Amino acid sequence: MKRKNLLKWSALCCLTVLLASCGTAGKENQSAQPATKLTFAYLTDVHLNKDNAGNGNEGLRKALKAAVDNGAEFVMFGGDNADTDHLGEAETTADTLHARFVRLVEEAGLPAYYTIGNHDRFYRSEGQPDTLGFKMFEKHYGPTYRSFTQKGVHFVILNALYPQGDDAPYNVGAEQLEWLKADLDTVARETPVIVSIHVPMLSLYYPVVDGSMKAWDMIADTKAVVDVLKEHNTQLVLQGHQHIYEQIQERDLWFVTAGAVSAYWWQGAFLTTEEGLLLVKVDENNRVTWEYVDYGWDVEKN
């Protein structure tokens, strides 16, 4: 073989070996990645309404199907499931609307956990006034704050809707805070904790978009709650209310506002956030990751 051809052949062989080595190394690195041990979907601000304006029924079905198709083992709802807080004394209407929501979720076949949102409230129960408006929610979804553990991950659902005057309409409140301390003391310090709350603990929506800070932008007792959470291995706080997708890291704790299933109340994107859900994964090393999934909803006029 001529020297020129020999050199060319040698170079090609080296390149082939190099590429093969890179490919092998890539496969080795890929196989070394920690396996996912838990996947769940976080759906917030569905805003079903009594007249099914925008066809939110079908939108929720489609979002739940996306959760199933993406391997979610369960769903968590971040609040504002149904718009009942403005229905006055129409208790039957409110009851029927929440029942419809639960029925649509059950059709998807996934276990579900629910956070109360400000629009989920209804201020009558069995014909009598309900000052805080929680009893209708409890009837259909269970306690307004609770916890559960899945595959070594501890989940906490908080109720942000305890008022402390006009300047502080949203709070976790002292009683619930004591419950939170006691609950977290039952889990090992290394156990990862994920929290769901409707009204954010931390958000920059109004300061950035509107140039102001509003009382209804966040809970008023954020610091007291975060101080408790930081005594444990809390990694992620999931939030709703704002209808935008927002991620804020404060030291080693992430606050993620998870957009909205309904986006602009079933009328299209809200600012730049499309109708979507948050897909959350926890790997075998307890590392938590997430992505916002546009489930492909098109606005329907009705």
Side-chain angles (χ1 to χ4, degrees):
M1 183 181 291
K2 291 183 180 180
R3 178 175 175 78
K4 182 177 180 181
N5 290 337
L6 179 61
L7 291 173
K8 181 178 180 182
W9 176 255
S10 298
L12 286 171
C13 287
C14 289
L15 180 60
T16 302
V17 171
L18 179 61
L19 289 173
S21 298
C22 289
T24 302
K27 289 178 181 177
E28 289 174 352
N29 290 336
Q30 186 175 8
S31 64
Q33 294 296 316
T36 298
K37 72 171 184 178
L38 178 64
T39 301
F40 69 94
Y42 190 73
L43 284 67
T44 189
D45 293 87
V46 177
H47 287 280
L48 284 195
N49 55 81
K50 67 181 181 67
D51 299 319
N52 194 30
N55 199 5
N57 289 357
E58 190 57 35
L60 176 56
R61 286 192 182 99
K62 192 166 185 176
L64 287 165
K65 183 178 185 304
V68 172
D69 291 346
N70 278 282
E73 298 166 51
F74 63 89
V75 291
M76 291 181 71
F77 287 92
D80 282 2
N81 304 324
D83 290 341
T84 54
D85 64 320
H86 64 285
L87 291 178
E89 297 187 359
E91 186 171 350
T92 300
T93 301
D95 190 69
T96 300
L97 182 51
H98 283 299
R100 186 208 312 168
F101 189 96
V102 171
R103 184 179 70 253
L104 291 169
V105 175
E106 289 176 345
E107 287 176 4
L110 288 175
Y113 303 91
Y114 301 92
T115 309
I116 188 170
N118 51 297
H119 288 291
D120 293 317
R121 294 174 294 187
F122 186 73
Y123 298 100
R124 294 187 72 78
S125 176
E126 297 182 353
Q128 300 300 314
D130 177 15
T131 303
L132 290 173
F134 298 162
K135 291 180 181 178
M136 178 73 74
F137 180 94
E138 291 169 338
K139 174 182 176 180
H140 291 279
Y141 309 106
T144 63
Y145 56 91
R146 58 169 300 189
S147 68
F148 63 96
T149 301
Q150 289 268 32
K151 295 185 177 178
V153 182
H154 191 66
F155 293 85
V156 177
I157 295 173
L158 295 177
N159 179 346
L161 307 180
Y162 288 95
Q164 297 292 332
D166 294 340
D167 294 333
Y170 299 133
N171 297 263
V172 166
E175 183 177 333
Q176 188 177 183
L177 193 61
E178 288 303 311
W179 170 87
L180 177 62
K181 291 176 184 177
D183 177 77
L184 291 177
D185 282 344
T186 67
V187 301
R189 292 285 168 156
E190 65 273 14
T191 300
V193 176
I194 295 176
V195 177
S196 172
I197 190 168
H198 180 67
V199 178
M201 292 187 203
L202 184 60
S203 173
L204 292 174
Y205 170 82
Y206 281 108
V208 170
V209 175
D210 197 43
S212 64
M213 179 65 78
K214 293 180 169 60
W216 54 85
D217 191 27
M218 298 189 302
I219 60 171
D221 51 356
T222 290
K223 187 180 186 307
V225 179
V226 171
D227 282 349
V228 173
L229 295 178
K230 281 188 172 288
E231 293 178 1
H232 301 267
N233 185 22
T234 310
Q235 299 191 21
L236 178 62
V237 175
L238 297 170
Q239 310 173 142
H241 196 54
Q242 310 289 47
H243 290 229
I244 62 169
Y245 180 40
E246 177 185 46
Q247 306 173 76
I248 301 174
Q249 184 180 20
E250 195 283 312
R251 286 170 283 180
D252 56 351
L253 179 56
W254 281 93
F255 300 82
V256 177
T257 307
V261 173
S262 65
Y264 191 51
W265 293 264
W266 301 110
Q267 298 179 58
F270 183 66
L271 300 178
T272 59
T273 302
E274 296 284 347
E275 299 88 353
L277 56 92
L278 203 69
L279 191 69
V280 185
K281 297 184 179 182
V282 184
D283 70 22
E284 59 188 0
N285 292 336
N286 288 329
R287 178 172 176 264
V288 183
T289 57
W290 56 87
E291 63 174 318
Y292 191 66
V293 177
D294 178 349
Y295 64 91
W297 179 250
D298 293 320
V299 175
E300 293 192 11
K301 304 295 184 181
N302 61 355

